[in-house]
Amino acid sequence: MAILADKNTRLLVQGITGREGMFHTEQMIEYGTNVVGGVTPGKGGEWAVGKPVFDTVKAARESTGANASIIYVPARFAADAIFESIDAGIELIVCITEGVPVLDMMKVRVQLDQSRSRLIGPNCPGLLTPDQAKVGIMPGHIAIPGGVGVVSRSGTLTYEVVYALTQKGIGQSTCVGIGGDPINGTNFIDVLQLFEDDPQTEKIVLIGEIGGTDEEKAAEYIADNMTKPVVAFIAGQTAPPGKRMGHAGAIVEGGSGTAADKIAALNAVGVMVAEHPEQIPDML
Amino acid sequence: MNLHEYQSKHRFAEFGVPVPQGKVARTPQEAYEIAQEFGSPVVVKAQVLTGGRGKAGGVKLAQTPGEAQQHAENILGMDIKGHKVLRVLLDPASDIQAEIYLGVTNDRAARKPLIMASAEGGMDIEEVNRTAPDKIIREHVDPFLGLRDYQIRNLAYGINLPRELWKQFIAITRSLYRCYVESDATLAEINPLIIDGNNNLLAVDGKMSIDDNALYRHPDLAEMRDTSAEPQAETQARAAGLSYIQLDGEIGCMVNGAGLAMTTMDMTKLFGGSPANFLDIGGGAKAETVAAALRIILADPNVKAVLFNIFGGITRCDEVANGILAALGEVRTDLPMVVRLVGTNEKEGREIIDNAALPNMVTAATLADAARKAVEATKSA
């Protein structure tokens, strides 16, 4: 089972002819992901990484039957790429691109809410369903299939946790990086719900960080809706207020968004919070 | 990126918001001349990118040019919460009958712009929000529909604004919202918007923050960045494409990825040490990037040990190890260093570091091990 991406995913790559797009397309194909084609405006009819390139997402979808798209285009074109995929009716859109302006994302949100598309990201490492599909940039070989669902706002911190699980022989159903921006397509609650409904997932690891209130909302959701156990980790306990910690969304503002608040909210609903990532495998 | 008050008000004025015709002085003499030119009482205001200027004595009323000069002399060079005052703004003093708050910001939770007004202007709006949240009238804006006039009327009605001022208020609010959108601001705030003796509205103080990710659309705003108040290392890091924030601890941290970088900082604390910085070197960890980052870390005199924590995902740990050694060929240091490489080719990477046998460098297998070793190194240093 797993969630969001699996053997049936038919993936398009928006920005397939770019340096990043080409490199990661090779990696995704090598992992076994079913990449059916790519889109680069002006390069339709060419081939890249052994796959057909189209000028538009619409044309690509009509020819390939793609049901998912991954975006590697530069930040200034990212919102347009997302709009294009929504308009073409792509079910799952994953945006890796970092640095998309917030006002662009607010408009994307409105369109998404009126569509049947789901967006993961932006500014995220994407998804990995071990041994089935890699839709993004997570290193495939650090994961093994199993029953733990992983959802995270971070990139390398997610790899760290997945790697620690794998070292202890604990496999994963799907690893989802939802991204480090203040406004994103899919939040913790959306993914928790998918994991709750997924028969393969038995337990869940939630990796949060300072900024916003998504972890607090996740805690409420867990209390009201989750039967599966959740273990959490929150990064940024030593981050000073008012300073953006790399991610556009990781900032303690006006006294809210602190790690302490998030840990307290999770503890209050019975979620165990690890002091450091290497404790997580034992806590499961 | 935050703008100074004078920059924010200048920007507001470009969009049609009425502001005082102020001028900026860098010396007491300039302040004297500006006050003389205005020929009226002036307010001398410290221009620093932090709040609490008034309490710190950074805002003073002057009746004469001589007084303006004297205030400027006291305020220039003043330290307000670690920010040195290099400029003062001189505004003609206003006859303040009432103070209103008016601001637009990104509401992260609602994922929409939020416009707020309050009759409790002139105060810290976060304080009003804590003590009397119902005194703030809020309207969420659909980014496609834009701010509608009825929403502005809802604000005016909610704050009990006298009807004869609604026309002005609607014009100002429209202008402020347009300014917010067209500047890719994350905050555009007038506090206070005053009602003066002639029953006119005037934005006497203003604040703007711009979305760093959107600065490519606004080269004019990007140029307004004031780097004089931030640590030099942060300015250098930005130029090198690194994400760096100076802290006051002893362990210099070099990490790939923001979440892992925060976690590494937290781990040093967990084991009884303290982080000297947040530093995300991004993907790849090439020798020149590592060297640039190392130079920035070592320039901080508080640093007693350096902790490298690199997760090799797509990047291979052996490449990273070679990058670190190459960087150390350029940037020499005797400080103790702990290197933790994990992920792709981690064994090969550790071997490269071990074989180099640098007397001041050790490897660590786990994050906990690395943090503990780094903390010990600072204690024995």
Side-chain angles (χ1 to χ4, degrees), chain A residues 23 76 99 101-102 104 106-107 109 141 153 156-157 159-160 163 212 217 236-238 244 246 249 276 278, chain B residues 106 108-109 111 113 144 211 213 216-217 245 256-257 265-267 311 314 340 342 344 346 366-368:
Chain A
F23 174 76
R76 60 185 69 189
V102 183
D104 289 4
M106 287 181 174
K107 290 187 173 168
R109 274 307 323 176
H141 63 276
R153 274 171 70 186
T156 47
L157 176 56
Y159 312 162
E160 178 89 41
Y163 189 69
K217 287 187 192 144
Q237 300 185 45
T238 50
R244 220 165 270 280
H276 62 80
E278 286 155 352
Chain B
N106 299 337
R108 196 169 162 161
R111 298 152 156 184
F144 285 104
D211 180 0
N213 287 341
Y216 73 86
R217 295 201 273 238
I245 291 168
N256 64 335
M265 286 158 48
D266 295 350
M267 295 285 280
F311 193 99
I314 304 297
R340 178 191 178 238
V342 67
T344 316
E346 60 176 56
T366 66
L367 184 46

Side-chain angles (χ1 to χ4, degrees), chain A residues 69-94:
Chain A
S69 174
I70 185 155
I71 296 172
Y72 290 105
V73 307
R76 60 185 69 189
F77 310 119
D80 198 53
I82 299 170
F83 284 132
E84 186 177 0
S85 268
I86 295 173
D87 196 45
I90 299 285
E91 288 89 336
L92 176 72
I93 307 164
V94 177

Side-chain angles (χ1 to χ4, degrees), chain A residues 7-79:
Chain A
K7 286 248 172 277
N8 302 316
T9 299
R10 298 174 58 78
L11 186 67
L12 275 183
V13 180
Q14 289 176 262
I16 193 168
T17 56
R19 198 170 54 92
E20 292 282 301
M22 210 178 271
F23 174 76
H24 288 292
T25 302
E26 274 169 20
Q27 301 274 324
M28 290 190 292
I29 293 172
E30 198 175 299
Y31 193 75
T33 310
N34 185 15
V35 176
V36 295
V39 177
T40 299
K43 297 204 173 168
E46 295 181 16
W47 291 74
V49 207
K51 304 291 169 186
V53 180
F54 300 85
D55 283 313
T56 68
V57 175
K58 191 160 178 270
R61 180 174 167 97
E62 278 164 6
S63 276
T64 63
N67 57 11
S69 174
I70 185 155
I71 296 172
Y72 290 105
V73 307
R76 60 185 69 189
F77 310 119

Side-chain angles (χ1 to χ4, degrees), chain A residues 23-24 27 75-76 83 99-104 106-107 109-111 134 137-139 141-142 153-154 156-157 159-160 163 181-187 209-213 217 233-240 243-251 253-254 275-278, chain B residues 105-113 126 130 142-144 180-182 184-186 211-214 216-217 231 234 243 245-247 255-263 265-267 269-271 275 278 280 309 311-314 340 342-346 365-369:
Chain A
F23 174 76
H24 288 292
Q27 301 274 324
R76 60 185 69 189
F83 284 132
V100 183
V102 183
L103 284 181
D104 289 4
M106 287 181 174
K107 290 187 173 168
R109 274 307 323 176
V110 174
Q111 288 299 94
K134 159 171 145 145
I137 60 175
M138 291 194 199
H141 63 276
I142 62 167
R153 274 171 70 186
S154 171
T156 47
L157 176 56
Y159 312 162
E160 178 89 41
Y163 189 69
D181 278 2
I183 296 179
N184 54 19
T186 295
N187 60 26
E209 61 188 29
I210 54 162
T213 53
K217 287 187 192 144
F233 175 75
I234 305 291
Q237 300 185 45
T238 50
K243 295 278 188 179
R244 220 165 270 280
M245 294 286 134
H247 290 158
I251 182 168
E253 287 171 303
E275 276 187 312
H276 62 80
E278 286 155 352
Chain B
T105 187
N106 299 337
D107 185 344
R108 196 169 162 161
R111 298 152 156 184
K112 285 191 171 107
E126 277 168 12
R130 263 189 298 275
D142 179 303
F144 285 104
Y180 157 88
V181 170
E182 292 182 22
D184 271 289
T186 55
D211 180 0
D212 287 310
N213 287 341
Y216 73 86
R217 295 201 273 238
E234 289 181 17
S243 181
I245 291 168
Q246 195 166 320
L247 305 169
V255 189
N256 64 335
L260 192 56
M262 280 189 271
T263 304
M265 286 158 48
D266 295 350
M267 295 285 280
K269 185 89 175 227
L270 189 65
F271 288 99
F278 166 91
D280 172 11
N309 185 25
F311 193 99
I314 304 297
R340 178 191 178 238
V342 67
T344 316
N345 291 4
E346 60 176 56
T366 66
L367 184 46
D369 184 31

Side-chain angles (χ1 to χ4, degrees), chain B residues 291-306:
Chain B
L294 198 56
R295 261 183 228 115
I296 288 165
I297 288 178
L298 295 175
D300 177 354
N302 292 330
V303 170
K304 288 188 182 162
V306 183

